[in-house]
Amino acid sequence: MVFGLKLGLPKATKASTESPEKSSSKAESSARSGSKGGAGETRGGGKGALTVNEFVARTKRYRERGLEPTKPELIAYARYLGIDPITDGDLMWIADEALAAPLPSEWTEHHDSADRVFYYNVQTHASSWTHPLEQLHRDTYKAIVHFRSGDISKEDQIGEIDRLKRKCDEAERDSIKELQAWSEHTDEGGQRFFYNRDKQVSVWTDPRPARCHSLYLQMKALKDMSKHCGQTVPGLAAMDDARRDKLRIQQMLAIGTSDPLGKSSRDKSKDERGGDEGRKDEEKKKKKKKKKDVGNEEPVDLTEDD
């Protein structure tokens, strides 16, 4: 994404931002107009234009209050992603999914002083104005459009369906295997974090939503393509209710029930940050209690709240 790219939408005004929470909306509008380096004023020249970064940040805040983007806003965002809302109106779900996409485990979300959203990779220490999964949604749209274009023969379409089915099955197996290496813990300050015992890394971002989201996109695209060529994919759900389908995938990818490391959250937090104090405490505990099987420890519940 080009930084500061205009989305073609007007910035919020008093008339358009007032909602059931009028006081909150007015405070946000005031803060935005008084901030330095606003993208709409310094990057593009058009004072009234809303940039992609501002739109994403605003949509996130509004959705937390139960408000959804308007149809013109979603259409403008879809065009930014390369989606034709007229010809491919039935694929507008891709734009909606892109707007709500979760972050992969190694990424965190932040806002600058002008309230523009950006993303930071804790492993590579790189920052990006573009959501890490944005290209995945662009590619999903392109793949479906190419499949439906008529440039592929019926025989090749059936072969492509089989290939995509195998790819989905492989992605499902890989996701289950990877997520079983993750466990959830709480540090001394009460903040939740996630630890991967295979890679021996700790992250703040829950690894499940992004995995679930990516798998959902693949399955939804497969369902659309198979329907287009009149094929039925065994074992593939109807994929007609995003919330229900994601919950089903989430349950399928549920992480294992027991704590693989055999440590309390407090000890993990110390150990995984480079100290050896946690290891010493754990050795003492093991000797004292003579534990034989870490699988008997209290399960770590990683079920998403509904």
Side-chain angles (χ1 to χ4, degrees), residues 24 40 59 89 137 260:
S24 175
T59 299
H137 296 81

Side-chain angles (χ1 to χ4, degrees), residues 13-236:
T13 62
K14 286 185 178 180
S16 62
T17 57
E18 288 192 353
S19 64
E21 300 180 34
K22 293 183 180 180
S23 60
S24 175
S25 297
K26 290 179 180 179
E28 289 174 0
S29 178
S30 175
R32 188 182 301 116
S33 62
S35 62
K36 296 181 179 180
E41 296 178 1
T42 62
R43 292 286 177 174
K47 290 185 178 181
L50 188 70
T51 67
V52 175
N53 301 80
E54 289 175 319
F55 172 66
V56 171
R58 190 188 71 176
T59 299
K60 185 178 181 64
R61 289 197 307 272
Y62 281 10
R63 279 181 164 172
E64 289 173 350
R65 304 205 302 260
L67 303 174
E68 292 295 323
T70 64
K71 186 175 180 179
E73 290 174 336
L74 194 58
I75 288 176
Y77 182 68
R79 285 179 171 145
Y80 156 73
L81 292 174
I83 298 172
D84 187 334
I86 305 301
T87 305
D88 303 310
D90 62 318
L91 298 182
M92 284 293 291
W93 63 267
I94 298 177
D96 195 48
E97 290 298 327
L99 199 53
L103 287 172
S105 59
E106 66 272 20
W107 289 87
T108 53
E109 181 181 293
H110 308 274
H111 294 78
D112 68 4
S113 59
D115 199 31
R116 296 178 295 241
V117 64
F118 69 95
Y119 310 95
Y120 177 73
N121 189 307
V122 298
Q123 294 181 2
T124 64
H125 306 293
S127 296
S128 173
W129 293 107
T130 306
H131 191 289
L133 296 185
E134 181 180 295
Q135 190 60 44
L136 177 63
H137 296 81
R138 291 176 179 271
D139 293 342
T140 298
Y141 171 74
K142 291 177 182 178
I144 296 176
V145 169
H146 176 66
F147 185 89
R148 304 194 309 193
S149 65
D151 296 335
I152 305 177
S153 66
K154 184 74 172 181
E155 183 179 352
D156 289 340
Q157 284 184 334
I158 295 176
E160 180 66 6
I161 291 296
D162 290 339
R163 187 188 71 81
L164 292 175
K165 176 62 168 63
R166 291 194 300 271
K167 186 177 179 180
C168 280
D169 291 340
E170 183 180 356
E172 180 181 327
R173 290 192 298 269
D174 290 345
S175 296
I176 293 175
K177 182 179 179 180
E178 179 180 334
L179 292 180
Q180 285 177 343
W182 288 95
S183 50
E184 179 182 341
H185 312 285
T186 306
D187 65 11
E188 293 89 338
Q191 188 167 358
R192 187 176 67 160
F193 70 94
F194 303 86
Y195 178 70
N196 187 305
R197 70 175 184 273
D198 292 342
K199 299 178 181 178
Q200 297 186 352
V201 295
S202 297
V203 297
W204 298 113
T205 304
D206 189 339
R208 290 165 299 167
R211 273 288 185 172
C212 174
H213 187 85
S214 298
L215 192 54
Y216 171 78
L217 280 180
Q218 290 186 56
M219 291 181 172
K220 180 76 172 175
L222 175 59
K223 184 67 177 180
D224 183 279
M225 294 180 189
S226 61
K227 181 180 179 180
H228 178 76
C229 65
Q231 296 294 306
T232 300
V233 180
L236 188 63

Side-chain angles (χ1 to χ4, degrees), residues 242-263:
R243 179 180 172 81
R244 182 190 63 199
D245 293 332
K246 288 179 182 179
L247 180 60
R248 178 180 57 80
I249 295 174
Q250 173 187 307
Q251 292 171 340
M252 176 184 68
L253 300 182
I255 303 177
T257 57
S258 69
D259 183 342
L261 297 182
K263 303 176 183 179

